[in-house]
Every structure is written in C-alpha cells, then in structure tokens.
Amino acid sequence: MNFRKYLPWWARIGAKLLLSNLPIPYSWWRKLSLFRHGDMNLPEPAIDKFHHHFELANTVRPLPTEFTTLELGPGDSVFSVVIARAWGATAAIALDAGDFAMRDVQAYRRTAEVLNRQGRKCPDLSDAKDFDGMLGRLNARYLTRGTDSLAEISAGSIDYIWSCVVLEHVHRDEFARMAREMRRVLKPGGVMAHSIDLRDHLGGGLNNLRFSAARWESRLFKHAGFYTNRLGFRDLVGLFEEAGFVWKTAQVDRWPAPPLRRELMQPEFRGRSDDDLCIAGFQLILWPAEGTGKTAKHEP
C-alpha cells in the first residue's frame, strides 16, 4: 500500500494512527511495505548512500585509512557496518531507536559479495552462524535505545558519524542531548555528514506545522510513523553550534515559496523567515569547534 499515492495528507495521518495502534509487530508491516524505515534493506542503495556521505565528509576532513564509524538510524538493515568495513573501518556501530534490522545473515553475505565484486575487500562472513556472530566477525555493534544508547559509546572514540534522512525524526525534546552526545563521542579530528529532509513526510510539504505542540508531540503522534521534530534549518544548525560544532552545507533543496500559508501554521512557526521555510532539505557537514568553542557560520 502506498499512502502517498492514494491518500491526501490528512487521510494518511488517520490511516497511520489507526494502523500503528494495532497489535501487530513491525516485521509484519515491513513485509507489506508499511512503516518501513527507509530503503536501506537493499545492498546497492545502502552502498551508494554510504559512499555519498563518506565522500561528503572527506571534502572537509579526510578520514584516516583505518577509522571508526557510527551510523544513526540504519533502519531495516545494518548493511552499513558491512560496507564500512569494506571501506577500511576497524570498528562500526549502527544505532537506532528500536530493534528494526533484519536478522537474515545471508542478506549480509550478499552485501559482502556485491562489495567484493566492486573491488572492495570485505571480511569473510561465510562462518557467521547468526546475526550476533556476523556482528562479532565485523567488530560491529547494533545499539537500539536511541539517544540513550549513545551513553554506551566511549568519549572520543568515533572518527566519522553519518545519517541519511534520520535526524528530522529525533524527538524534539531529545535533539539537543543527541547533538551533545555526538560531540562527546566524536574524536577531536572527527567529522559528521548528515542528509536532513524537512518535508512533512505526509505529502511532501509543511502540513506538520498545522498542529499544536501538545498534539504533535503526544505519544500517539510520535509513534505513528509520520513524526518529524519540526525543527527548521536555523533551529538545527543552532543546536549543533551550541553543542560545539562548526558546520557547512553541501547541498540545499528549496521550494520556490513556502508550501503552507502562514495563517495555517501554528503561531510558533509563523515567525520563521521565508528563506527558512523554503528549505525542503539539506546536506550538512560538521566537525568539532576548536579553542574558544566559537563556530563558523556558513549560509545555505
């Protein structure tokens, strides 16, 4: 079922609210392509996305030949830990807000085979008997408690952090803490690359700005599969600056005009500039600030 194709944005909210409250496990929804967490369950798109973000990071701070990496929000697979090892990582962590990743070891072996055919040297997974054995073979970890799991990672132990359309889903009241934790675990010479989608994940506009904070931040809405934190570009980079990061944008996608009239927005959003409201998504590269903690600001 494709909600975007068959239903208007307001009907998608109703449908997802209804379906998300049925006593059905996520694995069942995934089989029906409902509530899927991205398209990272296929090797080729996962490899392309890792490669893209890795290259973005390297435009600012070239990563060492051997590095440690952390992906936020891997979704339906942890292919990224296989891919990272093929790119030279000595250790890899995949961190998510729940236990969503497939456990089929054969799927990870196929990913390794694709990488080997591309000329990448991937660890041999033929002797991995189960998911945990595969992670051990890769010197990888899969953490599933969201922001809380960052506390399990040692300070200054990660060279490279990345995510692909994930940070907009971090709960609004957790984002500042997550940014601080990312700064804590990142090495002084480390770097991050993130793709962030500010569209409403309902109809590709800003209809999420219609709702009051009390309703949008309610448990019902947060767990219905369409939640975004509604932080705008300026909000997000401001929180990263407060956490001690310098940043630059690699790409900014814009609407020609704000896709929602201000009078239809909640009052807290009406004060945003047209420039901010026209930013539909962007790619952000960040690295730790040095010295006084002052950060350089790069306009989108």
Side-chain angles (χ1 to χ4, degrees):
M1 183 183 298
N2 187 325
F3 285 117
R4 179 164 300 201
K5 183 176 180 181
Y6 296 109
L7 298 174
W9 70 267
W10 50 267
R12 292 173 205 145
I13 286 184
K16 286 201 169 187
L17 287 172
L18 174 64
L19 293 173
S20 65
N21 282 281
L22 296 176
I24 297 173
Y26 172 72
S27 58
W28 194 84
W29 294 125
R30 181 170 59 199
K31 290 178 181 178
L32 296 180
S33 298
L34 294 171
F35 301 101
R36 292 179 65 173
H37 296 104
D39 62 355
M40 295 291 274
N41 61 328
L42 298 173
E44 289 80 5
I47 293 169
D48 289 344
K49 288 174 182 177
F50 180 92
H51 185 198
H52 175 76
H53 289 82
F54 189 84
E55 291 303 310
L56 281 182
N58 272 278
T59 63
V60 170
R61 284 192 166 182
L63 287 158
T65 303
E66 296 182 344
F67 61 94
T68 54
T69 182
L70 164 64
E71 183 192 5
L72 303 176
D76 286 344
S77 81
V78 292
F79 286 156
S80 67
V81 301
V82 183
I83 301 163
R85 289 300 311 274
W87 249 259
T90 56
I93 300 173
L95 184 151
D96 217 327
D99 189 351
F100 307 125
M102 68 174 77
R103 292 300 201 266
D104 180 9
V105 176
Q106 187 57 37
Y108 296 97
R109 291 195 186 108
R110 286 195 295 270
T111 302
E113 291 168 1
V114 171
L115 289 161
N116 287 327
R117 288 197 298 269
Q118 293 180 356
R120 298 281 176 181
K121 187 176 181 180
C122 194
D124 183 10
L125 300 179
S126 61
D127 60 348
K129 296 181 180 179
D130 54 25
F131 182 76
D132 290 335
M134 178 205 67
L135 292 178
R137 183 73 180 82
L138 294 168
N139 193 25
R141 299 163 67 190
Y142 179 42
L143 307 179
T144 59
R145 296 188 301 116
T147 304
D148 290 340
S149 283
L150 283 166
E152 302 177 36
I153 304 174
S154 300
S157 62
I158 304 295
D159 291 294
Y160 170 50
I161 301 174
W162 73 287
S163 70
C164 184
V165 293
V166 167
L167 295 186
E168 66 269 19
H169 298 291
V170 175
H171 291 171
R172 191 183 184 97
D173 58 0
E174 292 184 6
F175 199 96
R177 179 164 67 101
M178 173 167 273
R180 292 193 299 270
E181 281 290 284
M182 285 192 278
R183 176 66 181 84
R184 181 186 66 82
V185 304
L186 198 65
K187 292 181 180 179
V191 63
M192 306 199 301
H194 302 286
S195 296
I196 302 172
D197 185 358
L198 300 183
R199 299 170 183 85
D200 59 23
H201 291 50
L202 295 166
L206 288 176
N207 289 299
N208 51 353
L209 304 190
R210 296 171 179 263
F211 295 86
S212 69
R215 175 166 295 182
W216 192 260
E217 297 295 327
S218 67
R219 188 183 185 283
L220 182 65
F221 272 48
K222 278 184 173 180
H223 297 278
F226 55 77
Y227 174 86
T228 56
N229 52 43
R230 304 194 293 180
L231 294 167
F233 175 84
R234 303 291 172 187
D235 300 320
L236 289 164
V237 298
L239 289 168
F240 276 124
E241 288 177 357
E242 291 174 8
F245 285 101
V246 181
W247 57 271
K248 67 176 290 187
T249 51
Q251 178 180 324
V252 179
D253 298 324
R254 297 177 182 273
W255 291 292
L260 183 67
R261 300 196 310 274
R262 289 181 188 274
E263 61 267 27
L264 298 178
M265 300 176 188
Q266 288 293 304
E268 65 181 288
F269 304 114
R270 293 175 190 168
R272 289 183 180 175
S273 67
D274 278 355
D275 184 64
D276 208 36
L277 289 170
C278 284
I279 297 177
F282 59 102
Q283 295 175 350
L284 193 64
I285 309 169
L286 306 103
W287 60 100
E290 299 176 356
T292 62
K294 293 181 179 179
T295 58
K297 297 181 180 180
H298 301 257
E299 293 300 314

